[in-house]
Amino acid sequence: MLKRLQVKNYVLIDSLEITFPEGLVIITGQTGAGKSILLGSISLVLGAKADASVIGESGDKCVVEAEFNVPSDNIALSALLERNDVEWDEGHLILRRVIGRSGRPRAFVNDSPVSASVLSALSAELIDIHSQHQTLLLSDRRFQMSVLDHFAGNAELLKKCSSAYSEYLSLKSEMEELDGRIARIEDERDYNEARFRQLDEASLKEGELGLLEEEQKQLANAEDIKENLFAVEDLFSPEAGTDRMPLDAVLRESEKRLEKISSFLSSASALAERISSCRVELGDILSDVSDMNSGIEVSQSRLQEVEERISLIYGLMQKFSCKTVGELIAVRDELNEALYDSSVLEMRRDELMRSFKLKKEELDALAAQLHSARVKAAPGLAESIQKSIRSLEMQYAVFEVEVNDAALSASGTDSIVFKFSSTGRNAVDLSKCASGGEMSRIMLCLKDLMARYTNMPTMIFDEIDTGVSGSVADKMGSMICSMGENMQVFAITHLPQVAAKGEAHYLVSKDVDPESLKTVTTIKKLSDEERVLELARMLSGSTLTDAAVANAKDLLGLR
């Protein structure tokens, strides 16, 4: 049940904090007083969409907080909180929603931040809000289905059917995708084979292009390279018959002379060692230059071969829109997979087909069970609703629940149609025959029945009595009151016959602050005397009459 509601700076509500009792809670107020604003604040804290437009004039943010007492054995609620890492003292829940000027809302459950979707999921376990226009749901086939399924106790079957249907659609989608891939492979086989063959015959290797380009530079400049390498060798080691000494001989002689004087000059020994090191290093360099020289090939045929290979690779890169040889190799491998993977895909499709058939059989069996349960429960639901409707002064009313075949869906293979006749003859589709007042009475009967089967702790009726009056309104009030014996029920109403029911009566009013001249909406619990006056106002209008006061007392049973 909703135990406490705190609202700050929400539209015309400046600040309010109010507690609510168990049972039936009556809320009244003149048209435009702000009853819809109060209901809007409750919807906000339960996850409804919101933006900065809901923020009042008293600050840069609005805050709505609702405290609930909930059954500690609510398995669905416990699982939902656990999945979202929300700690809670079983039986106690505080929801809070904060909207800033940026329009970005924040939500909390027991001070743990959560998303608005979590609040919405929680609201399904906490409150059922019937808005003024919800009678339109009576024409909604899904709503009609849900009423019958709640009555038949099909929750577990529906869950299994919905899960099986999701898997069925997933398997079907995967098969359709595989069929498309296989078809594309077959359609493009000749084209892809030619492309693959061209890349495969090229025998591409990762990093090949860089090596080829380096080799091409060497081959194109081989004569110049060899000429310079020969010159280096000659400088290091001149041919015999020249007047130049080899570098090694020069260094060896220098080393010998320095060693000769080292006994007289100690630093000469260190210089001799350094020359020795240089001689070894220069010998290694000369060896490397000689190896390099012998490895350089002057070959026009090889140069032509390399340039043709480079031209081939660049041509392939342009044709296949690739920037590297690695990308070309990837394209080749993809084409190979596309060409030779069709058999694998067909094997996978065969596996999927077997799984699909098994899942379809499972789904058909679940749909058949649902159909059987619905057909069995339909007469009982129709009889129960018809009995309730007739108790609201439609003694000849007929209500029927028709189960028809429909396309396979997450809810099975049925379509539900509610049929109604106020005269007892020729029941037709409810959406085509009932008046506004009749729709209100039928919806209340459905809500009364659903409350018994859903174990909803709190229900809010926002003017469900629209379109009725007199003794019918009194009987609707009695029905709402009886619902309040087993759950918390809020009834927002304009009818004194309904407002007289229950014990807790709250008045919503709109006033102007004399200091700030700001219009604000407030709500307060009425005393017995104030309640008499409010009912009298509802009976007679702005001018209270003795007859209206007497009638109000009579409605409240105070005489």
Side-chain angles (χ1 to χ4, degrees), residues 72-295:
S72 58
D73 60 350
N74 189 319
I75 298 175
L77 182 63
S78 299
L80 179 60
L81 293 172
E82 183 177 345
R83 283 197 304 273
N84 291 279
D85 298 322
V86 176
E87 296 182 0
W88 75 305
D89 176 16
E90 293 186 0
H92 189 71
L93 209 59
I94 297 178
L95 278 58
R96 186 168 73 256
R97 196 91 181 276
V98 182
I99 311 293
R101 287 292 179 191
S102 65
R104 183 172 177 269
R106 291 179 293 152
F108 304 86
V109 177
N110 287 356
D111 290 327
S112 296
V114 298
S115 64
S117 61
V118 173
L119 288 184
S120 298
L122 283 173
S123 70
E125 301 294 331
L126 297 173
I127 288 185
D128 179 7
I129 299 178
H130 173 90
S131 65
Q132 295 182 40
H133 307 293
Q134 204 180 19
T135 49
L136 294 174
L137 279 176
L138 286 174
S139 303
D140 190 325
R141 299 292 185 228
R142 290 171 298 181
F143 174 75
Q144 296 178 4
M145 178 83 76
S146 71
V147 173
L148 179 56
D149 283 329
H150 276 110
F151 183 81
N154 288 338
E156 192 61 32
L157 263 180
L158 271 173
K159 184 178 179 181
K160 291 180 180 179
C161 187
S162 178
S163 176
Y165 185 70
S166 295
E167 294 176 33
Y168 163 83
L169 289 181
S170 178
L171 290 168
K172 183 179 180 182
S173 176
E174 190 173 351
M175 282 199 306
E176 290 173 349
E177 182 185 355
L178 279 177
D179 285 339
R181 288 177 63 184
I182 292 170
R184 286 193 297 274
I185 288 172
E186 293 304 317
D187 289 344
E188 300 172 359
R189 178 171 293 280
D190 292 342
Y191 174 66
N192 285 338
E193 276 184 348
R195 286 162 63 86
F196 169 75
R197 191 163 49 250
Q198 188 175 13
L199 289 172
D200 188 51
E201 289 173 354
S203 300
L204 299 165
K205 297 180 181 64
E206 187 76 53
E208 176 185 10
L209 184 59
L211 295 174
L212 286 170
E213 289 177 335
E214 185 177 351
E215 184 180 2
Q216 189 271 340
K217 288 180 183 178
Q218 291 179 3
L219 290 168
N221 298 279
E223 293 181 358
D224 190 37
I225 292 170
K226 289 186 76 66
E227 179 183 341
N228 283 280
L229 290 175
F230 275 128
V232 172
E233 286 183 287
D234 184 60
L235 289 169
F236 270 66
S237 181
E239 292 183 6
T242 64
D243 58 355
R244 289 185 293 114
M245 290 177 64
L247 281 178
D248 183 69
V250 173
L251 292 172
R252 189 182 296 277
E253 180 64 23
S254 299
E255 180 184 354
K256 185 187 298 183
R257 290 181 179 276
L258 287 169
E259 287 176 347
K260 187 175 181 180
I261 65 171
S262 62
S263 58
F264 309 112
L265 187 65
S266 58
S267 59
S269 178
L271 289 173
E273 289 179 2
R274 290 170 63 186
I275 289 174
S276 177
S277 297
C278 289
R279 188 167 56 81
V280 172
E281 177 66 16
L282 287 171
D284 289 341
I285 292 173
L286 179 58
S287 177
D288 288 345
V289 169
S290 296
D291 291 343
M292 191 182 298
N293 194 5
S294 63

Side-chain angles (χ1 to χ4, degrees), residues 444-457:
L444 177 59
C445 293
L446 290 173
K447 289 287 186 178
D448 178 38
L449 180 130
M450 290 182 73
R452 283 181 267 143
Y453 287 94
T454 58
N455 296 317
M456 182 65 65

Side-chain angles (χ1 to χ4, degrees), residues 327-351:
E327 291 181 11
L328 281 175
I329 293 172
V331 171
R332 180 198 65 193
D333 293 343
E334 288 174 6
L335 288 170
N336 183 51
E337 182 180 353
L339 286 168
Y340 300 105
D341 197 38
S342 60
S343 59
V344 177
L345 294 179
E346 287 169 358
M347 289 173 61
R348 173 59 181 156
R349 192 189 183 285
D350 290 340
E351 293 176 5

Side-chain angles (χ1 to χ4, degrees), residues 300-313:
Q300 287 299 318
S301 61
R302 177 57 184 166
L303 176 60
Q304 182 178 353
E305 181 182 331
V306 169
E307 289 179 341
E308 287 176 354
R309 180 68 176 172
I310 291 173
S311 178
L312 170 66
I313 292 174

Side-chain angles (χ1 to χ4, degrees), residues 60-71:
D60 291 330
K61 65 180 180 181
C62 79
V63 181
V64 182
E65 183 173 285
E67 181 179 347
F68 291 87
N69 286 341
V70 295

Side-chain angles (χ1 to χ4, degrees), residues 379-401 419-421 424 427 442 445-446 449:
L381 173 63
E383 182 180 357
S384 179
I385 297 300
Q386 181 174 289
K387 183 178 179 181
S388 293
I389 294 172
R390 287 185 175 183
S391 71
L392 297 178
E393 297 191 6
M394 286 192 289
Q395 59 269 34
Y396 301 111
V398 172
F399 190 89
E400 297 175 0
V401 178
K419 291 187 171 182
F420 174 75
S421 170
I442 294 170
C445 293
L446 290 173
L449 180 130

